[in-house]
Amino acid sequence: MVLGIISKNYKGFIILVEKFSQLNLSKEFLSNLDSLNYLKPTAIQQKSLPLSLDNNDLIAQAKTGSGKTVAFCIPLINKLDIKNFRVQSLIIAPTRELANQIAQELRKLSRHVHNMKVLTLCGGMPFKPQVVSLSHQAHILVGTPGRILKHIQQNNIDLENINSLVLDEADKMLDMGFYDDIMEIISSLPTKRQTLLFSATFEKNIEKLASNVLKNPVLVKIEEEEKVYIKQKFYEVREDNKTALIPGIISSNKAKSILIFCNMKIKCDQLADDLYALGLDVLTLHSDLEQKQRDETIILFSNKSYPILIATDVASRGLHIDDVDLVINYDLSLDEKIHTHRIGRTARAGKGGLAVSLYTHSDLDRYDIIKDTFPDIIEEDVSKIEDDLSYKIDSPQRTIFINGGKKHKLRAGDILGALTAGIGLDKSDIGKIDILDFASYVAINKEKIAYVLDKLSKSKIKGKFYRIYEK
Ligand code: AMP
């Protein structure tokens, strides 16, 4: 699809760079990219970076997993005037989780820049501390539309120096009804700025947004979509029989990391209770949970301490969870776009996956629409689901919690050192290490968890004792 608003006047060449070193970035920037193991730009980075670093407005078609965050963070960091301790870039994202992930990426990508300050402004977090942080200034703000707007309305943000704006997952923000908020935010920004709009889809509403906020944008899209095959099985079921089928669906597919979608929060909680009663370890993720619980849930699922996560759509937007091998649509999604988004969770990083959808007689209309979009759906009878009782749905790891994090200057290397050199644990028994501001989470081989709890609580990490317990 060609958007009418795309600049016909763009006179530059669209250059493809195959190496980061072909870009006009400092030696320090390049060596930081190298140290992050970003050895080669991804397709979207290859196409967008020459343009965005040249200060063009862009509309980029890029999905989660394509390297889009790095694609828009590099030009922002590159053009920052670090000595000018004022807000120079604003990034708007649909969810808190995504905003936090962007802030994390910004911090990693700017390790070579001293004293760069990134601030997140997300809804659901206490407002006052954000006001205080804003009064101490920052270089880059990342946040969700409603909260950013509230700060702007209360004159908490010094907007004068903003010269870059990013709208990330613009399609999701519009789906979530943020159009007016976004337009109101933009109306208070300096007009002399670079705007980068990232969206997985280009529908009419994106065109409207783009034509209102971008100047002579260049369209960047990846011609050849990476084709990943997601096998889809559909089962017609009775509403009161759904839960009983879940263990069989998991065991017959020998799934290890399972994401189950429900349409409502209350259903997530009910299903979690029911599956727990059946002996399964589950986590839930929905918007009633506090931010801290949501962060922790994502950590515990993605570090493989729990095999099953039950989520609503809103809570799962924009999440980076790799290695999900089975998605179960416990409730059929409300439309085919949501369905596509859900099943896409099982095909991250170019791998194929499996999605199983349950539908009842009353879902038939929606099922027909989804079937039109995915003609290779496999329709099976529930009697074919055979619960393989020999299959144990369990996680190989457990998580230990440490009540110290970045603010205590703890780094992954310190924790790794305390576990290996300190208490003699083998590196192969240690999984993902997540370090937040005030806490850290470490995935440990579950056979070794008692040993680690005992030893680590009696030893120091980087010269200090911390409280350690199992999550
Ligand atoms: P995103 O599309 O922003 O969700 O990024 C997906 C993942 O790709 C993130 O974990 C990034 O850290 C990673 N990533 C981004 N750019 C590169 C690159 N050039 N090389 C390797 N990994 C990358």
Side-chain angles (χ1 to χ4, degrees), residues 233 235 242-255 275 278 280 326 328 356 382 384-389 391 393:
K233 290 187 185 174
Y235 296 93
K242 284 178 172 180
T243 307
L245 294 171
I246 301 291
I249 294 173
I250 296 173
S251 69
S252 60
N253 289 297
K254 307 225 170 335
L275 292 183
L278 291 174
L280 299 178
L326 171 65
I328 301 178
V356 170
V382 274
K384 283 210 165 165
I385 301 173
E386 276 179 37
D387 195 353
D388 176 356
L389 296 172
Y391 184 73
I393 308 158

Side-chain angles (χ1 to χ4, degrees), residues 118-132:
V118 179
L119 210 65
T120 50
L121 299 175
C122 297
M125 303 299 284
F127 188 73
K128 275 267 175 57
Q130 293 177 352
V131 178
V132 175

